Amino acid sequence: MTGNIQFYNDNARHVAQQYLSKSFEEIHASVLSYITPVLNKTDARILDIGAGAGRDAKYLAAEGQSQNVSVIAVEPAKLLADIGKQTTQNLNVNWLEDSLPALAKVTRQEVSFDLILLSAVWMHVPESERARSLRKLANLLKPGGKLVISLRHSQAEHTADPRIMYAVCADELKNLGKKVGLFCLSETERENDKLGRDEVSWQTVVLQLPDDGSGAFPFIRHVATNDGKSATHKLALLRVLLRIADGHPGAVLRRESSLYGDRVILPAGLVALYWCHQYKDLIDKHQLFQTPNKNPNMGFMKPAGWHKLTHRTAADYRIGHLFTGDDAIALHKTLSDALSNIKAMPCKYITLPNSEQGVFEVASKPVRAKDSIFLDLTTLTQWGEFSLPEHIWLAFNRYACWIEPVLVSEWVNTMLSYSGNAGYRTVEKHYILHEALNWLEPKRSTTEIRQRFEQLQQDQTQYCVWTAKTLKQKYNIDHCMPFSRWPNNDLWNLLPADSQINNQKNDRLPSEQKLKAAKERMLHWWQSAWLEEIPFEMCEFMTDQISSASLINSQCNLWKQRFFAEANIALPGLSKVNSSIDDVFEALVMQRGRLKEMQQLREW
């Protein structure tokens, strides 16, 4: 593929002139009837792979402009992409330098598409990479999404053209599609080349994803409702992974190919942290038994770890939190013990159907306990890596609101079967178990943000991020992404707003246009509130662990650390070391689209 990229860079202007000489309608006339309905769909998302000089991306974005259709254009040849960016200027097109089979940058966005177009691309994909490529493309489709692939047939692939190309076959493509749950909507007849090359002909195959296409739902349901459970470990692991997929798309370190399909790699420490989060109050506060015997202690509850943190609550086990002193040492040990338990129990016993092959894998590392631990992605990666099949990750990511009630219900039923919980078996007490399994979403709290706002207001005028109106006595701290639908108290999500405007917005999702119009004011607030030097008097609000003035002073930078720690894990497409607020904003726009798509929220 590298040689072809070099060819397209070396010949960018000539190739662009050639491609732009023909219109989208000319090239794709035979499949327009499948593409047009997507352009008429509100907020549709389209992926154009091998976007070249931008001809197709321009048409798709322009035709879908009235419906707020967005296009991600993928082109690995940078010089050709530069021309494409000019072609699509002022349209809703986002360009990424990426390529098959990995599509690493696209998958990091954690979004799915109504339409994926590969025009004059498939012949560049070697046969050995086609199965993986189709699997990747299927995973990127929404249920009902269409995959349109044009096939270049030529009698002189390796002689007349300096590019590396491989023979293609519609039957091969359709068979590969079937294996990943795609069915064929259309296979066109071969057509003459629109550029007049006698040795070249084209046909187009349109594939569609009827549902999630992965078998993930039946598998998850089997583990949740039918699989044997000597304890609640299996349910706990599924729920941890669902919560990470639903709330932390930025937690994905990378994706890898394996014999059993692509896998998603997460920080093992994050899985252990959330494991402790969900068991913490369930055991310490509510004293509910999680095994059939009457021993309240589970394998990860050790004297030097778990039992030294009984004064803590589940809310302390969160990204952006600082532990110091003895608590930090105990937390190190607790996370290590939890990971060992996860590896020895649910990971060992959750296997593929009719197989001994494990579904989840842990590559753990020993971590030396220290007297300070700041919970962010970098820290939590020290414990190693946790991997799961990509199709299961995507099912958790897209359908969390349907899967979680099944897990919670089965967890309640499992606890009721244990003799230690016999006192809850009367129907009127079942609600206590359901309440105990609440994930303890963060409370709607804006106290520290109000304190920071009022401190800044003493020295400089503050403005509503949505209207630019000067804020005085009456103001609100607004959750940009509505708390009622996506509970999140991260610093990046809390913004000063005019009270009247905030009431008008209520629990609606800001439109993409409103969000982009507020960008400069939003970035200014982030910069002045959290990223510049923090005055000494504000540092006391950072953590309840700090006991001395010198330590408070040394920890003032935690606001900035916390801002990026929270953003980099909660928002899609950011690296764990990202420190750019511009990138945070672009990821916020992407997350807005994800919430709109997955929860069908009302827009403001």
Side-chain angles (χ1 to χ4, degrees):
M1 191 72 78
T2 304
N4 285 333
I5 294 172
Q6 188 61 49
F7 170 87
Y8 285 114
N9 276 324
D10 291 344
N11 298 275
R13 291 195 175 279
H14 171 72
V15 169
Q17 184 180 21
Q18 190 178 52
Y19 290 169
L20 295 174
S21 68
K22 300 297 177 182
S23 70
F24 181 93
E25 294 96 329
E26 286 181 273
I27 298 297
H28 300 293
S30 61
V31 292
L32 271 178
S33 60
Y34 297 102
I35 295 173
T36 302
V38 178
L39 301 179
N40 293 328
K41 180 181 177 182
T42 303
D43 296 322
R45 191 178 290 118
I46 298 174
L47 179 63
D48 181 10
I49 298 177
R55 176 199 63 211
D56 295 350
K58 178 181 179 180
Y59 174 88
L60 295 168
E63 290 296 311
Q65 198 163 20
S66 63
Q67 298 297 326
N68 196 36
V69 171
S70 62
V71 179
I72 291 182
V74 171
E75 177 51 58
K78 185 179 183 304
L79 297 182
L80 190 56
D82 287 343
I83 298 174
K85 291 175 185 178
Q86 295 174 9
T87 304
T88 58
Q89 194 171 11
N90 300 322
L91 291 170
N92 194 6
V93 180
N94 179 30
W95 285 80
L96 294 178
E97 187 177 335
D98 208 349
S99 62
L100 287 166
L103 287 178
K105 292 182 180 179
V106 174
T107 52
R108 278 184 58 197
Q109 308 301 310
E110 297 292 342
V111 297
S112 52
F113 299 89
D114 299 274
L115 172 68
I116 300 177
L117 175 65
L118 281 78
S119 181
V121 171
W122 196 246
M123 72 280 190
H124 291 316
V125 180
E127 186 176 351
S128 60
E129 294 181 352
R130 288 178 181 170
R132 183 187 174 196
S133 295
L134 247 295
R135 186 167 59 245
K136 176 65 67 175
L137 294 169
N139 283 341
L140 287 169
L141 281 173
K142 295 180 185 179
K146 299 179 182 68
L147 174 60
V148 178
I149 301 180
S150 68
L151 302 178
R152 182 188 195 270
H153 300 284
S154 174
Q155 299 174 354
E157 284 98 355
H158 306 291
T159 55
D161 197 307
R163 293 169 292 181
I164 299 174
M165 288 184 274
Y166 306 90
V168 295
C169 173
D171 287 339
E172 176 207 36
L173 181 57
K174 290 187 292 182
N175 287 333
L176 289 174
K178 285 181 182 178
K179 292 179 180 179
V180 292
L182 302 176
F183 68 89
C184 182
L185 272 180
S186 173
E187 176 189 347
T188 69
E189 299 293 330
R190 293 197 187 190
E191 301 174 348
N192 293 333
D193 179 55
K194 296 298 190 294
L195 295 175
R197 293 169 294 190
D198 293 335
E199 75 280 5
V200 177
S201 63
W202 297 86
Q203 70 177 144
T204 303
V205 174
V206 181
L207 304 173
Q208 186 170 23
L209 183 67
D211 49 34
D212 79 314
S214 65
F217 278 165
F219 168 78
I220 293 169
R221 182 170 179 79
H222 170 73
V223 173
T225 62
N226 300 324
D227 227 359
K229 303 177 192 67
S230 59
T232 58
H233 292 115
K234 292 180 180 180
L235 294 165
L237 181 58
L238 293 182
R239 197 177 185 209
V240 162
L241 296 174
L242 179 142
R243 280 290 172 160
I244 294 173
D246 183 43
H248 296 321
V252 178
L253 299 177
R254 65 183 185 282
R255 282 164 164 84
E256 287 184 352
S257 182
S258 76
L259 291 175
Y260 298 95
D262 288 356
R263 299 184 70 83
V264 170
I265 314 299
L266 304 172
L270 178 61
V271 178
L273 179 70
Y274 270 26
W275 178 272
C276 295
H277 172 99
Q278 72 175 347
Y279 272 124
K280 179 63 179 168
D281 289 354
L282 197 64
I283 295 174
D284 286 359
K285 179 180 177 180
H286 298 285
Q287 299 179 342
L288 289 166
F289 290 84
Q290 302 301 307
T291 62
N293 57 52
K294 290 191 175 183
N295 181 2
N297 215 56
M298 299 187 76
F300 54 90
M301 299 167 62
K302 306 289 186 182
W306 182 278
H307 291 301
K308 285 188 176 294
L309 293 170
T310 53
H311 59 288
R312 292 286 190 164
T313 67
D316 294 321
Y317 296 91
R318 60 172 173 81
I319 295 297
H321 201 70
L322 173 71
F323 283 69
T324 60
D326 291 342
D327 279 8
I329 294 172
L331 181 61
H332 271 94
K333 294 179 179 178
T334 299
L335 294 180
S336 296
D337 294 337
L339 193 60
S340 295
N341 193 243
I342 292 168
K343 188 174 182 177
M345 295 299 292
C347 284
K348 180 178 179 180
Y349 294 108
I350 298 177
T351 61
L352 293 172
N354 305 312
S355 168
E356 295 184 0
Q357 175 63 38
V359 176
F360 307 112
E361 298 175 0
V362 179
S364 56
K365 296 179 181 178
V367 180
R368 184 171 62 88
K370 300 176 182 177
D371 61 2
S372 177
I373 177 172
F374 179 72
L375 295 173
D376 63 2
L377 277 176
T378 300
T379 299
L380 294 171
T381 304
Q382 294 177 25
W383 273 268
E385 296 178 344
F386 183 100
S387 79
L388 71 156
E390 185 180 46
H391 69 285
I392 293 177
W393 167 263
L394 291 173
F396 283 145
N397 180 279
R398 295 172 183 171
Y399 309 113
C401 60
W402 288 292
I403 296 174
E404 186 166 37
V406 175
L407 297 179
V408 171
S409 176
E410 188 59 29
W411 200 325
V412 167
N413 291 335
T414 301
M415 287 193 294
L416 287 172
S417 70
Y418 298 156
S419 58
N421 300 322
Y424 296 95
R425 287 177 181 165
T426 56
V427 175
E428 60 269 18
K429 290 186 178 181
H430 288 185
Y431 80 94
I432 298 174
L433 303 187
H434 281 277
E435 287 187 350
L437 279 168
N438 283 341
W439 189 258
L440 290 179
E441 300 286 12
K443 295 179 181 178
R444 185 190 286 268
S445 174
T446 61
T447 301
E448 61 184 349
I449 285 74
R450 282 183 169 276
Q451 290 168 336
R452 180 63 179 138
F453 175 88
E454 290 167 9
Q455 192 274 332
L456 289 171
Q457 197 177 37
Q458 296 175 16
D459 300 319
Q460 52 188 276
T461 303
Q462 297 297 311
Y463 301 94
C464 170
V465 294
W466 301 117
T467 65
K469 180 180 178 180
T470 300
L471 296 178
K472 296 181 181 179
Q473 296 300 318
K474 292 185 177 181
Y475 72 92
N476 285 123
I477 298 299
D478 176 42
H479 286 79
C480 180
M481 301 292 103
F483 185 92
S484 62
R485 302 304 296 269
W486 196 59
N488 181 291
N489 276 327
D490 291 354
L491 297 180
W492 57 267
N493 195 39
L494 293 162
L495 308 167
D498 175 74
S499 297
Q500 186 176 355
I501 292 298
N502 187 53
N503 291 335
Q504 183 189 103
K505 177 175 177 279
N506 199 4
D507 62 353
R508 290 183 292 173
L509 190 70
S511 68
E512 185 172 334
Q513 292 80 2
K514 273 193 169 63
L515 199 58
K516 289 182 176 180
K519 177 180 179 180
E520 294 306 318
R521 293 185 293 274
M522 198 176 295
L523 265 58
H524 175 76
W525 165 252
W526 288 344
Q527 184 68 41
S528 60
W530 313 121
L531 306 184
E532 294 176 356
E533 185 176 347
I534 307 298
F536 177 83
E537 59 268 23
M538 284 300 299
C539 295
E540 62 181 303
F541 301 113
M542 289 190 300
T543 172
D544 55 9
Q545 305 307 301
I546 299 175
S547 56
S548 69
S550 60
L551 187 55
I552 290 175
N553 195 43
S554 69
Q555 296 297 324
C556 283
N557 191 46
L558 269 180
W559 283 119
K560 182 175 181 178
Q561 284 183 272
R562 176 181 159 190
F563 177 89
F564 284 112
E566 292 174 343
N568 292 347
I569 194 171
L571 298 174
L574 298 174
S575 73
K576 64 182 179 181
V577 295
N578 169 63
S579 59
S580 165
I581 56 175
D582 283 293
D583 288 349
V584 170
F585 182 82
E586 291 305 316
L588 172 57
V589 173
M590 189 68 71
Q591 177 65 6
R592 191 216 74 87
R594 293 179 72 246
L595 289 176
K596 175 76 169 63
E597 172 190 321
M598 291 187 293
Q599 298 196 27
Q600 298 298 305
L601 300 185
R602 294 182 305 145
E603 284 192 315
W604 172 64

